[in-house]
Amino acid sequence: MGEIHKVTMPKWGLSMTHGKVIEWLVAEGDEVAAGTELADIETEKIAGTLEAADAGVVRRFVADVGADVPVSATIALVAPADVPDSEIDAAAAAAAEEVAAGTLAVDEGPVVSTVEVAGRTLSYVTAGEEGETVVLVHGYGGDANSWLFVQEPLAAKHVVHAVDLPGHGASSKDVGDGSLATLAEVVLGFLDAAGTGRAHLVGHSLGGAVIAAAAAQAPERVASLTLVAPAGCGTEADAEYLRGFAGAQSRRDLKPLVGRLFADSGQVTRQLVDDLLKYKRLDGVDAALHRLVDTLLDGDRQRIDTVATLTQLSVPVTVVWGAADQILPAAHAENVRRARPDAKVTVVPDAGHMVHMEAPPSVREALT
């Protein structure tokens, strides 16, 4: 007789304590495999899709749709069909009792740490204990939390660090000259500080250009590059978004801009906008963002040339782009394909610039 697997409320982000099942994507009695989409989950910041970790039959939904459920609480049970209903009933009752009695063993999630790199404090989040090292680098205005739907699943087979670049998240706000070379040196300095000789680098938008520059500086340190909607692969860009984000001072200014990051702007919650506004009001952020805009733009066109950098490298390259990207056109992916015919290029339907949040499996699959 098989084992009963608990499907639990995930911890997507350091501040997440509760979530809601907003829709079950399977029915009781359905057979599922690892990776099957089980439910849409809503957090304070954004909604995402929870996938099955184990194969079996969905035997019981424990959490009601719309109910507020603490992180790590059991929301469903998956088990072989031959497990008696009485055992499923007992497991469901025990799960409910854990929550009611306050004895739930809460998954504390990834570990937050800091290191000193070139005179700056660099904050990073680590998940996973075994396997090759993966380093995730966010884009302009983002932070390590933007990888919340990617980091935890990858951590099952890898040691995964998500880094806050200078000027972002909990890292120092001094970006120096804000150049790609400076930011690439920070990434390589992080590898040194973390004791990582070689890593798979994954970068989104500005972060994609940064990791390509890091590979150019030290190709022996880079096992592969995965570029998610990378900057510098064409000349067109939504310059209004980049300058508008740097200058936004209110929720009214910020919300329509943030909506452009997603194919479905309905994913932008009030909490997400409030958190971005709180970040933008930190000392040093305004100067950092404006300096990075100067790195990214020459007039209204992109200043940097990541494609030229990639042609100089022999490291394996994968590109993932959202077809509905409003910030950097998905057509730029073809420029990478022409420059690096060996590159694996995937354009994801119904996803925007934040393709790693709207379609996280496409990014995870690029690494597996």
Side-chain angles (χ1 to χ4, degrees), residues 1-316:
M1 202 169 296
E3 180 181 357
I4 299 174
H5 301 286
K6 296 178 180 178
V7 179
T8 60
M9 179 60 69
K11 185 175 178 64
W12 286 337
L14 300 175
S15 61
M16 179 178 172
T17 59
H18 290 72
K20 293 178 181 176
V21 176
I22 54 177
E23 182 182 5
W24 287 106
L25 304 177
V26 292
E28 289 184 345
D30 284 355
E31 288 196 20
V32 298
T36 298
E37 294 183 347
L38 296 177
D40 285 337
I41 303 290
E42 182 182 76
T43 74
E44 286 186 334
K45 293 185 179 181
I46 200 164
T49 300
L50 178 66
E51 299 174 6
D54 303 288
V57 176
V58 179
R59 299 293 303 275
R60 186 68 51 82
F61 294 146
V62 178
D64 294 329
V65 171
D68 212 22
V69 178
V71 166
S72 300
T74 300
I75 60 175
L77 298 171
V78 171
D82 60 354
V83 174
D85 285 343
S86 58
E87 293 190 19
I88 300 296
D89 292 341
E97 176 60 25
E98 275 186 329
V99 176
T103 57
L104 185 66
V106 177
D107 176 8
E108 297 298 334
V111 177
V112 181
S113 307
T114 60
V115 291
E116 294 297 313
V117 176
R120 301 179 181 90
T121 299
L122 208 62
S123 177
Y124 66 102
V125 180
T126 301
E129 298 178 349
E130 297 180 347
E132 296 179 290
T133 299
V134 178
V135 177
L136 309 173
V137 182
H138 61 80
Y140 164 82
D143 63 23
N145 271 327
S146 69
W147 299 104
L148 53 86
F149 298 135
V150 172
Q151 185 175 23
E152 183 178 318
L154 281 179
K157 295 182 179 177
H158 304 279
V159 177
V160 188
H161 303 297
V163 178
D164 285 340
L165 286 172
H168 297 80
S171 290
S172 297
K173 300 304 179 285
D174 170 24
V175 298
D177 63 5
S179 67
L180 286 185
T182 295
L183 297 176
E185 288 168 5
V186 169
V187 172
L188 294 172
F190 170 75
L191 295 183
D192 293 336
T196 301
R198 194 162 182 260
H200 298 274
L201 302 185
V202 183
H204 171 243
S205 197
L206 168 64
V210 169
I211 64 170
Q217 289 186 22
E220 74 282 1
R221 307 291 301 275
V222 181
S224 69
L225 291 174
T226 300
L227 309 176
V228 183
C233 294
T235 56
E236 300 84 1
D238 186 347
E240 183 181 71
Y241 165 79
L242 294 168
R243 293 197 177 96
F245 186 87
Q249 298 295 322
S250 67
R251 185 184 300 110
R252 184 177 181 180
D253 295 337
L254 202 53
K255 186 172 181 179
L257 293 169
V258 177
R260 298 186 195 182
L261 294 169
F262 298 88
D264 176 11
S265 62
Q267 294 205 37
V268 179
T269 64
R270 183 184 180 91
Q271 185 64 50
L272 177 61
V273 175
D274 286 350
D275 285 352
L276 284 170
L277 202 56
K278 184 178 178 182
Y279 152 71
K280 290 191 82 284
R281 289 172 175 165
L282 296 174
D283 287 346
V285 168
D286 183 72
L289 291 177
H290 280 90
R291 181 149 297 182
L292 292 174
V293 168
D294 291 340
T295 295
L296 289 165
L297 293 178
D298 180 5
D300 286 345
R301 303 177 81 79
Q302 293 196 66
R303 183 187 297 277
I304 57 181
D305 190 346
T306 302
V307 171
T309 302
L310 295 176
T311 61
Q312 300 168 18
L313 300 173
S314 57
V315 60

